[in-house]
Every structure is written in structure tokens, then in C-alpha cells.
Amino acid sequence: MHRIYLSIISILCLSTNLLWAQVDTIADQKIQEVVVMAKLPSVQIQPDKTTFRLDASVTHNQGSLYDALCGLPGVIVNNDGTIILNGQSGVNVLMDGKSTYLSGQELVNFLKSTPATTAEKIDLITHPSARFDASGNSGIIDIHSRKIKLRGMNLSLNGNFTQGRYSTGYGSASLNYRREKFNVFTTYSYYQGQEFDELNIARAFIDPRTGEETGLNLNQNSYRRDLNKTHYYRIGLDYYITNRTTLGFTFNGNHHSKRRVGTMDSYFQTLKDQSDSTRYTWNDSQRKTMNLTAGVNFLHKFDSQGKVLDASFDYLRFKYNDGQFQHDLFQDGTSNRQKRDSLKGLMNGILNLYTGQVNLVLPHGDKWSLDAGVKTSFVHLDNSANYTDIWNGKFIHNASISNRFVYDENINAGYLQLKADFKPLHIEAGLRVENTRVTGKQSGNSVQRDSSFTQRYTNVFPTLLMLFSIRESSLSLFYGRRIVRPDYGDLNPFIYIFDNYTYEQGNTMLKPQLSDNLELAYIHKTLFKASFFFTHIHDVIVKSFSLMDDNRILVSPANYSSAFSLGPRISTSNLPLASFWDINVNASAIYNHFQWLINGEEQISKRLAFVGGLNNQFSFGKGWSAELNVSYRSKMAAGQALMSPVWQMDAGVKKQILKGKGSIQLYARDIFNTYNRNMNVVTPDQKAYVKERESQSVIGISFSYRFNSGYNAKESRRKSSIDESKRINL
């Protein structure tokens, strides 16, 4: 039934756009016909960012935003929500300059449930100015929604259908009504689909005194299937008080439900190919989340010279309920004894976030400009976890892993940004100050004691961008200091049980990581950029793996002593190899070096990695176009883990029909099913090889039709809101 339902959605909604526009009142000038044709550049290179236009791509503008991000050169999106940009983690993801409100698995769910057709372009901002929050180690990914600029009534219907091992479907509708004094807009989208995750782990245990293998091995094989459903809606109003003053209101909602059913088979071996004991684990979990945001925005332009005041206030409420049932069957390979065990868990939480900010732009002539602003935010988080397990045939409360965690955070910030233009030299210098106040409390019970912690710290974040123009080229030098605060989920001390041998737990003692970033670059027009970067990170946050009692592995975030990355990068934009063939190239060599202490001994993980991508775009005439993309990443160091090489190939073909107003697209991603995330993990207690495969290989088809009339209206500038909410990962 699910597949039939998704097929009906795709047939009714497949990328159809219907637009009713205001009747043109301009007198007939008897113009026969005016045709303007232009080819959108798929990639545009600027000193501080690189822009990818999804409209100009055959493969990236289909599927979900998750698929679109995974296809961008230099971007890696892991299933746990970790995003790596140019070999570095700690990326801040925005939508239209505003936070996506989520991180970790919640960010993945949001990206997978949002169709790529709702986005117009994606900016990879490697050099954020002081106006942006200092959070994010390697930069910012800003996803820009598709804008409707025609006056009158505008309706857009979109849909998509893909088929891999399982099917997924998207359906969305957007309505926009614009008059002289106001603009009303609303969007609704629905996502439904099944996904799978295959996980294989081979562990060899080590004697920490000798460094030799003990002969005990553990092999684990897991298959998990997810059924996802998401409803997203957005309602907004812009009221143009005067030609220079705009007042805006927005309300967004995201309701997501996921049921995950999976198995984990664990085999202990003391001799080669001889099973010592076996544990079969069956897991059934259901998670429901509700994410609501509301905001008000104010914008006033004092004059036509660029003097602007904008202010905003936003409220976020995030709520989740997570139920888990786990059943274990243990069988001793020697005595054939069996032992059954069951565990139930109920986790829930609620987060409230309030934030407000004011920004002012003060230009002085053509050479000087001063930006200034202040911002404050308040977060309150209340989480609880209750576990019960079988004892004498009855479910009894397990106080050793049940818990309650309350967290409060207040961040106050202010910034100054000075711009000076003395051709051929352009300078942007900024200074941002952020004060953070944190309190957390873990409630005790009959087994665990109460515990609490407080943190107070103030950080200064300078930025400097110097640009020297040489005819059609330029040299740039950038320096910026950034911070990555722990996700709320990483601070949460609750234990999440994957199986009897793999636990994950937060760390209340985590400190924020600070990074210093430096880059020297040469840019030629918007076609070519060559640069060399260096990043040094203090107290870097990474996942650590430690061996507990009963051969249990505890996965927990930790602060490493330091890390640094350096290397060259080269990128090109829309280089014509022939009249019908353009290419975009992105390549970098990244040397990562991690250093930390375990039991007083220094540990080092280092590796030189190569990351590259090749995008080919073909235009054959008569409305035919095609695209072929190839991406590759070699082995890469990531803390205690060494990530294995991975590559992927995507392809698509497009045909314009109905006099250019419609098109048919056929596309395929991960054609050879090679995008598998494998890694080696080495600790003083064990060696582990992890192999993971997900729902990446899909094929899809789409149809689009456009009808446009009316005339363009100027867009107002509306900025910022909740940036702290990106850290939600409960």
C-alpha cells in the first residue's frame, strides 16, 4: 500500500508549477515577441564562498536536500548527522540565513524529508564574517529556498519518486499571494519512505599491557529498516508599512515519526572459525518529534545609500518521545545453555529556546562601511529516560541506567564589522564577543547520586579578509577564529543501548572546541580558485571508543588535546571543453593530525587524504542535456577512526518539451553502489573494522511544467534567527 500511495503522489504532484499572476495593466505596445535565453552557471566561485545552483543541475535538483548535499564536492554527510566540509567537521547548516534548528540524527531526518526542488542554490561559506555566529569550525552551509517574485497569486506543486531497495516519495505545495502592501506565503510538504542500514563490525581484543591480541574476537552483523513519515508546514506574512519598512511574521512546523526494526547477531570466538557464544538481539524503536518555531522580523532602510536596521525575535519548541524494546537470546556454544532477556526504554524531552537580535549597517561614502549588532539567547532543556528489564518474569525499573537531565544556557553576543575599499585593496575586519553561561543537573535515584555542573566563559572571535585585485584576478588572505559548542545530545548523560555490547552516552564534562583558520588564495574571475589553508583546533570534540566490563563498548564524545589540518585546494567553475561540454573540478589534499592522551600515554592519528570531484554537463541541442558526476575520497583520519576510501558516480539526462515549458528527467545516484562508509577503529583495548551500507543507490524519474506571467517585485531582506538550535541532537 505504501508503494501504491507514493506512486499516486508522484503522478499527481511531479514537479508541476501552476502560477496565477496579477493581470498586466500596462498598455499594449504591440511587441510581437521577446525571448531572453541564458544559461545559469552551475558553480560560482567567490573569495569567501562557493555557490552551487541546483536549477542548473540534472542530478542535484532531484531527491532530497540530503541527496543534494551528499553530491556537492568536498561535502560528506554521515548518517549520524556529522557533516564534513573540505575534510573538517563542525559545519553550521542554515536555511535562508537562518538555522535549520537541528543537528545530528534530527538534522538528517529534516534534510531527507525536504525535497531538493524547494531549494534554488546552496552556498558553501568558508570565510564567515563577524555578523554570523562564531559557531562552526569549518564554515557554513546556507541553503536558499526557491523564491517567487511575481505579484498576484502563485501556486507551486512539486513531487518526486525514487526507487532503490525500497521506495521514497515527496509531495509539496506552496502558495504565495503578493499585493502592494503585503505578501502571504505558505508551504506544506509530506515525505514517506523506507530506508535500510547494514552494519558489520569485526572486533579483536588486545591486552593493553603487551599490545598483543588476546585471541578473543567478536563479530556483529546488523540489519535495520526504517519507516519514516514527515509533515512540514510554513506560514508567513510580510507587511510593507512603507517603501522602506517591512514587518514580517513566520510560523514553521515539522512533525516526524520513525519506526526502526532491526537485528544484531553477535558471535564471540576464541579459536578461528569456532563460535564460543552467540547473542541474538532484536530491536524495535519508535520515535516521534515535533519541532515548532515562530518569529517576527523588522527591517527599515533609512536611505538609498545602504543604511539599514533589522531586528528579529524567535521562539523554538522541540519535543520528542522515544520508545525502545530490545529482546536478547544468549546461547553458550559449549554447554548449549540459553538465556533470554528483555529491556524496555521510554525517553522523552522538551526544549524551549528564545533568541533576539538587532543589526545595523552604516555606510560612509563609497569606501567605508560599519556593521554592528547584538544578540541574546536562552535555552531550557528537560530530558528523562526510564528503563525496565526482566527480573523473575516481571519488568522492574532499572535505576542504574534511568536518569533525568535539566540544562540551561544563556549566550550574549555583540559584534563590529568594518569594511574599507581602497582599490585595488579591499579589507573586511571584524570582532565578535560571545559570553556563555551554562548550568546542568543530573537527578539521582537509589543507585546514582545527584550531580551538577556550571560553566562560565567569554570568547573573542576576530576575523580579517584582505583582497588585492590584479586586473581580472585577485589575491586574498583570510583569518578567523571559530567555536564549536557541544550538541545538547552530546552533553546528555543518558545511555542509549544499541545492543548488549554497544552503548552510547553523553559527556557532561565536554568543553567547547576553538579553532584558528588561515587561508591564502588566488582567484581568477569566478572561474578558478587555488588556495592553501591551515586550521588549528584546541580541545577538539570527537567520538571516543572505550572497553567497559563484560567486553562492552562505550561510545562517548570526548575532548582531544589538539588537532590541525592543512593542505592545498583547487576548484574551477564552468570550464568549456567543447561547445556542448562544461566541467567543474574540485580537488584538495588534506593532512589531518590528531593528538590526545590515554592513561598518560600520548596517542597520535595522522593521515594525508585526497578529496576530489568532477562534474560534467552536456548540452546537445533540441532541448537535450545530460550530467555525469564522479566523486572520490581516500583514507582519512578522524580521531581514533581511520575512514576507508569511498567513491560515487551519479548520472542524469533531461529533455525539454512543450516548447521549453516542460521537461522530463531520468537520474541515478550511486550507480555502482560504492558509497559505503567503512572505517578502522584502534584503541588500547581493541581493534575494530566497521562496514556500513545504506540506501544510497536509487533511480528516479520526474516531470516538470512551468507557466509564468506577471511582473517581478523586489524582495525584502530578512535575516537571522535561532542559530543555537542547530545543536539539537536529543
Side-chain angles (χ1 to χ4, degrees):
M1 287 298 295
H2 290 153
R3 187 168 298 181
I4 296 174
Y5 178 60
L6 293 173
S7 301
I8 294 174
I9 291 177
S10 64
I11 294 172
L12 293 178
C13 300
L14 273 178
S15 302
T16 305
N17 299 282
L18 304 174
L19 299 166
W20 289 282
Q22 181 172 302
V23 177
D24 191 357
T25 57
I26 300 176
D28 186 4
Q29 301 298 315
K30 296 183 179 180
I31 299 177
Q32 297 297 323
E33 184 178 16
V34 175
V35 178
V36 178
M37 298 184 66
K39 182 180 179 181
L40 287 174
S42 58
V43 181
Q44 186 177 10
I45 298 174
Q46 300 180 41
D48 60 338
K49 65 181 179 182
T50 302
T51 300
F52 296 87
R53 292 189 174 274
L54 301 187
D55 285 345
S57 173
V58 178
T59 59
H60 292 162
N61 67 344
Q62 300 299 324
S64 65
L65 288 179
Y66 177 87
D67 300 321
L69 283 181
C70 289
L72 296 183
V75 178
I76 301 172
V77 185
N78 293 328
N79 199 42
D80 63 357
T82 302
I83 298 180
I84 299 174
L85 176 61
N86 295 323
Q88 302 175 62
S89 60
V91 181
N92 198 357
V93 180
L94 308 178
M95 287 282 290
D96 298 321
K98 299 184 178 184
S99 171
T100 53
Y101 314 148
L102 308 166
S103 69
Q105 188 58 52
E106 300 303 334
L107 174 60
V108 171
N109 293 337
F110 173 78
L111 294 174
K112 286 185 176 181
S113 62
T114 305
T117 53
T118 62
E120 180 182 11
K121 62 180 180 179
I122 299 177
D123 289 334
L124 304 184
I125 305 175
T126 53
H127 306 330
S129 68
R131 180 185 178 102
F132 291 97
D133 275 17
S135 58
N137 174 53
S138 57
I140 292 173
I141 297 178
D142 194 0
I143 304 170
H144 296 265
S145 300
R146 194 181 306 276
K147 304 296 183 181
I148 299 177
K149 299 182 179 181
L150 295 178
R151 290 186 181 271
M153 180 84 69
N154 305 277
L155 175 65
S156 176
L157 302 177
N158 298 284
N160 197 347
F161 181 80
T162 61
Q163 183 66 52
R165 179 178 296 185
Y166 303 110
S167 56
T168 62
Y170 305 88
S172 67
S174 298
L175 179 66
N176 194 96
Y177 184 67
R178 183 188 291 268
R179 301 289 294 181
E180 285 77 10
K181 281 291 185 180
F182 63 88
N183 178 44
V184 181
F185 52 91
T186 181
T187 299
Y188 169 79
S189 67
Y190 175 76
Y191 162 81
Q192 179 175 315
Q194 292 191 68
E195 300 171 349
F196 74 91
D197 180 87
E198 287 186 75
L199 182 66
N200 306 106
I201 306 175
R203 297 172 177 172
F205 294 92
I206 299 174
D207 187 337
R209 295 170 299 178
T210 63
E212 301 294 330
E213 294 187 14
T214 63
L216 179 63
N217 297 284
L218 173 61
N219 295 311
Q220 295 179 288
N221 301 312
S222 171
Y223 183 85
R224 295 173 289 185
R225 188 175 66 172
D226 297 341
L227 176 61
N228 297 280
K229 296 180 181 180
T230 301
H231 299 269
Y232 170 80
Y233 50 88
R234 180 173 185 243
I235 303 171
L237 168 68
D238 286 332
Y239 178 64
Y240 306 103
I241 302 173
T242 67
N243 291 334
R244 293 181 176 177
T245 306
T246 305
L247 185 63
F249 305 89
T250 58
F251 180 79
N252 302 321
N254 189 299
H255 298 260
H256 178 257
S257 64
K258 176 174 72 174
R259 182 181 182 186
R260 166 171 285 185
V261 178
T263 59
M264 171 74 81
D265 298 334
S266 304
Y267 305 93
F268 271 106
Q269 294 177 333
T270 53
L271 296 175
K272 186 177 181 181
D273 297 329
Q274 180 177 340
S275 177
D276 180 67
S277 61
T278 303
R279 181 180 293 272
Y280 303 97
T281 302
W282 181 75
N283 233 316
D284 186 354
S285 63
Q286 297 188 43
R287 183 177 178 90
K288 293 184 178 181
T289 63
M290 181 179 65
N291 184 20
L292 301 175
T293 63
V296 56
N297 305 275
F298 175 81
L299 174 69
H300 178 70
K301 300 178 180 179
F302 292 95
D303 51 37
S304 59
Q305 304 302 313
K307 186 178 180 181
V308 177
L309 171 70
D310 70 82
S312 64
F313 173 80
D314 294 90
Y315 167 71
L316 165 69
R317 180 182 178 87
F318 181 86
K319 184 178 181 180
Y320 78 95
N321 291 283
D322 197 347
Q324 181 184 12
F325 177 77
Q326 178 180 304
H327 181 73
D328 286 296
L329 172 63
F330 178 80
Q331 182 168 338
D332 191 305
T334 304
S335 62
N336 290 323
R337 290 184 306 166
Q338 291 188 353
K339 180 183 178 182
R340 298 177 183 270
D341 192 14
S342 296
L343 178 73
K344 289 183 179 180
L346 179 61
M347 287 72 70
N348 56 69
I350 188 168
L351 180 144
N352 290 284
L353 189 153
Y354 307 84
T355 184
Q357 67 175 3
V358 178
N359 301 290
L360 181 64
V361 179
L362 297 172
H364 182 72
D366 297 330
K367 294 184 177 181
W368 297 90
S369 180
L370 177 66
D371 294 13
V374 294
K375 180 180 179 180
T376 184
S377 65
F378 296 88
V379 174
H380 177 75
L381 169 66
D382 191 345
N383 278 355
S384 64
N386 293 287
Y387 283 98
T388 59
D389 50 18
I390 291 289
W391 184 260
N392 292 329
K394 296 181 180 180
F395 278 98
I396 304 298
H397 178 68
N398 189 329
S400 63
I401 55 178
S402 298
N403 219 319
R404 184 185 177 192
F405 180 59
V406 178
Y407 177 88
D408 290 281
E409 179 184 85
N410 169 228
I411 301 177
N412 300 295
Y415 75 91
L416 291 174
Q417 178 86 9
L418 180 65
K419 301 178 183 179
D421 196 358
F422 300 101
K423 294 183 178 179
L425 181 64
H426 177 80
I427 300 176
E428 295 183 12
L431 185 67
R432 187 179 184 92
V433 180
E434 295 185 353
N435 173 261
T436 305
R437 304 166 62 87
V438 171
T439 60
K441 183 178 181 179
Q442 177 180 338
S443 300
N445 51 45
S446 59
V447 177
Q448 303 182 70
R449 298 177 57 185
D450 289 348
S451 63
S452 62
F453 65 93
T454 60
Q455 294 180 2
R456 304 285 189 272
Y457 53 90
T458 300
N459 299 104
V460 178
F461 304 98
T463 59
L464 176 64
L465 175 62
M466 301 178 63
L467 191 67
F468 187 80
S469 300
I470 309 172
R471 296 182 180 178
E472 295 181 324
S473 303
S474 60
L475 290 173
S476 71
L477 176 66
F478 172 79
Y479 167 76
R481 188 170 174 83
R482 310 286 295 172
I483 187 173
V484 175
R485 296 180 179 87
D487 292 340
Y488 305 132
D490 288 342
L491 291 169
N492 194 331
F494 293 173
I495 292 176
Y496 184 84
I497 302 173
F498 289 96
D499 65 89
N500 211 52
Y501 300 109
T502 309
Y503 284 18
E504 185 167 356
Q505 185 178 26
N507 181 1
T508 59
M509 303 306 294
L510 275 180
K511 297 182 291 184
Q513 71 177 39
L514 296 168
S515 63
D516 294 281
N517 304 277
L518 184 68
E519 183 180 75
L520 177 65
Y522 168 78
I523 305 113
H524 178 67
K525 296 182 179 179
T526 60
L527 301 176
F528 176 81
K529 180 179 180 179
S531 63
F532 189 90
F533 76 94
F534 174 81
T535 297
H536 186 266
I537 308 174
H538 307 270
D539 297 320
V540 57
I541 300 173
V542 296
K543 294 287 187 182
S544 66
F545 306 83
S546 56
L547 184 65
M548 308 299 288
D549 296 336
D550 301 326
N551 296 316
R552 183 178 300 159
I553 299 299
L554 178 65
V555 182
S556 179
N559 290 107
Y560 282 16
S561 301
S562 64
F564 67 85
S565 301
L566 56 88
R569 299 174 181 152
I570 296 176
S571 56
T572 65
S573 169
N574 310 303
L575 294 181
L577 292 187
S579 59
F580 62 91
W581 184 9
D582 291 346
I583 66 167
N584 301 295
V585 180
N586 182 284
S588 58
I590 305 166
Y591 177 76
N592 288 332
H593 184 283
F594 295 87
Q595 181 178 342
W596 68 99
L597 294 176
I598 294 183
N599 299 326
E601 295 185 7
E602 185 180 66
Q603 309 289 324
I604 293 178
S605 175
K606 56 185 179 179
R607 189 79 185 189
L608 177 64
F610 298 93
V611 179
L614 176 64
N615 169 256
N616 300 269
Q617 292 189 327
F618 306 94
S619 299
F620 300 113
K622 295 185 179 181
W624 284 95
S625 60
E627 188 172 323
L628 179 65
N629 304 320
V630 180
S631 61
Y632 171 78
R633 173 184 53 78
S634 67
K635 286 186 178 180
M636 177 179 290
Q640 288 182 329
L642 180 63
M643 302 170 64
S644 299
V646 64
W647 72 281
Q648 178 177 335
M649 179 179 289
D650 306 328
V653 62
K654 180 178 179 180
K655 176 66 171 71
Q656 297 284 345
I657 59 175
L658 301 176
K659 298 182 179 180
K661 292 184 177 181
S663 65
I664 296 177
Q665 292 178 250
L666 179 67
Y667 59 95
R669 285 189 298 273
D670 193 14
I671 298 174
F672 297 102
N673 194 22
T674 54
Y675 195 81
N676 301 321
R677 285 188 283 267
N678 306 329
M679 63 180 180
N680 289 315
V681 180
V682 179
T683 71
D685 306 301
Q686 66 164 310
K687 295 179 181 179
Y689 178 70
V690 182
K691 182 178 181 181
E692 186 174 16
R693 188 162 64 93
E694 299 175 317
S695 311
Q696 292 292 130
S697 299
V698 297
I699 186 170
I701 187 171
S702 72
F703 169 78
S704 66
Y705 178 78
R706 300 185 308 272
F707 172 75
N708 298 318
S709 62
Y711 54 94
N712 285 335
K714 240 181 192 181
E715 285 291 321
S716 64
R717 175 185 170 193
R718 294 182 302 140
K719 280 287 179 185
S720 199
S721 83
I722 301 172
D723 295 297
E724 285 70 32
S725 54
K726 66 185 178 297
R727 296 161 54 202
I728 299 176
N729 180 22
L730 306 178

